[in-house]
Amino acid sequence: MFSLPPLLWMQAFESAARTLSFTAAGLELGVSQAAISQRIRLLEDRLGQKLFVRHPRSLSLTPAGQAWLPSLQEAFARLDEGTREVFGGVTEALVTLRATPMIQQSWLALRLPGFQHAYPAISLRLISAIWPGDFGPEGADLEIRYGHGDWDGVEAVSLGEETMLPVCAPALAETIHKPEDMAGQTLLHAPGFAVGWPTWWERIGLPGFESCCAALSCDSQMMTLALAARNGGIALSHHRLLEQRDDLVAPLDLAVASDESFWLVRPKRGQPHQEASRLWDWLVEHC
């Protein structure tokens, strides 16, 4: 049988690979950055392959590290699940929820205080994810994902149909009375959504009109909305993310439906613990 590396080394790798930071991994595991670095180096020596590429100010995973990480995270998740089934959960009623920073700030922040008031004994931990690859079975009881709801190995409940519409600062909104008034303005683009600016213009009957506007591309929707709120252009926003915001206005009542939406997700494998089920039910009820 292949001799597995020590568990502490594998924990160090999983944490550092997930956060792409030896410092963050050290904080998570309660050891120094130097200790994480040493464990990773010993692990790489043991496996005979590099797991990380060390850049001057950042880390990235090697192909070997990328290939091994999902298996390791699945193993940790199964170990945690088996421990819960045999010995019960930890004494602290902790529920971990993973979602993008945007949905945390614009949607969850409006609902979690009510849940905490109703269930003060349940502790919550929020984990941020930005890219689709940030989501997975490890480390979270529940997730809020964006897509079509067709992920393998999970139960998914839609949080409702979604539409996309242009938003901008109130002062700029006063100058926009019809779509053509957006000519010459800066359109703020974010990746990862089926309905982007080209699709929006096409759906409202002005295909290609984005060529009449300046463009600024960001790597997250959070940044496009932040720029839009500061009069830096016009962003496309999900209608759901505009709840109780007074710094962004939709100048036109031209929302375009998307076949993608936000979904509340939990693993199918194993029995969810009671606290996670209560948060699940609460969010479904208050979506």
Side-chain angles (χ1 to χ4, degrees):
M1 180 181 294
F2 179 75
S3 178
L4 288 174
L7 180 61
L8 289 177
W9 299 0
M10 293 190 289
Q11 283 181 313
F13 167 71
E14 191 281 329
S15 181
R18 177 165 31 85
T19 61
L20 290 179
S21 168
F22 287 174
T23 300
L27 292 173
E28 184 173 88
L29 298 178
V31 298
S32 68
Q33 181 269 346
I36 295 294
S37 180
Q38 181 185 39
R39 292 175 187 179
I40 297 297
R41 186 170 59 253
L42 292 170
L43 181 61
E44 290 175 328
D45 290 344
R46 177 70 167 270
L47 297 173
Q49 292 197 49
K50 292 294 184 183
L51 299 171
F52 291 97
V53 179
R54 278 81 165 172
H55 306 288
R57 296 181 181 274
S58 63
L59 292 173
S60 62
L61 287 167
T62 66
Q66 292 176 345
W68 191 38
L69 179 61
S71 297
L72 194 61
Q73 290 174 329
E74 178 74 10
F76 282 141
R78 288 185 177 276
L79 183 61
D80 177 70
E81 181 181 296
T83 302
R84 289 176 182 273
E85 289 177 354
V86 175
F87 301 104
V90 296
T91 55
E92 181 186 17
L94 176 66
V95 180
T96 300
L97 172 62
R98 180 187 285 109
T100 65
M102 193 74 255
I103 200 72
Q104 289 184 34
Q105 292 183 14
S106 301
W107 192 79
L108 277 174
L110 301 178
R111 289 159 175 79
L112 290 184
F115 176 81
Q116 291 174 301
H117 179 75
Y119 300 100
I122 298 179
S123 299
L124 300 179
R125 180 177 66 163
L126 299 181
I127 299 177
S128 294
I130 298 176
W131 303 106
D134 296 334
F135 293 92
E138 77 293 340
D141 300 297
L142 309 178
E143 295 180 339
I144 297 178
R145 301 186 188 181
Y146 185 76
H148 296 95
D150 53 356
W151 303 283
D152 293 332
V154 298
E155 176 185 359
V157 172
S158 174
L159 297 180
E161 296 181 355
E162 196 53 74
T163 58
M164 303 285 284
L165 71 168
V167 295
C168 59
L172 178 57
E174 293 179 359
T175 69
I176 300 174
H177 306 289
K178 59 184 183 298
E180 291 84 353
D181 293 337
M182 294 165 64
Q185 297 293 337
T186 299
L187 301 184
L188 303 168
H189 296 258
F193 305 114
V195 177
W197 278 115
T199 302
W200 187 84
W201 287 109
E202 182 179 352
R203 296 268 186 92
I204 68 166
L206 293 172
F209 195 84
E210 67 274 8
S211 63
C212 300
C213 305
L216 195 163
S217 296
C218 305
D219 67 354
S220 70
Q221 188 182 35
M222 177 178 289
M223 188 58 186
T224 64
L225 297 186
L227 285 169
R230 290 161 177 78
N231 210 33
I234 305 171
L236 274 180
S237 173
H238 299 85
H239 187 272
R240 180 180 308 276
L241 302 182
L242 299 178
E243 293 184 57
Q244 298 187 19
R245 290 194 66 153
D246 55 11
D247 58 344
L248 287 172
V249 175
L252 303 170
D253 186 20
L254 289 173
V256 169
S258 173
D259 60 352
E260 296 177 311
S261 61
F262 294 98
W263 298 77
L264 186 61
V265 171
R266 62 184 173 188
K268 284 183 178 178
R269 185 188 68 251
Q271 183 70 24
H273 59 85
Q274 184 180 49
E275 292 78 13
S277 294
R278 284 177 175 168
L279 178 57
W280 173 279
D281 293 340
W282 175 274
L283 292 177
V284 170
E285 180 182 354
H286 293 82
C287 67

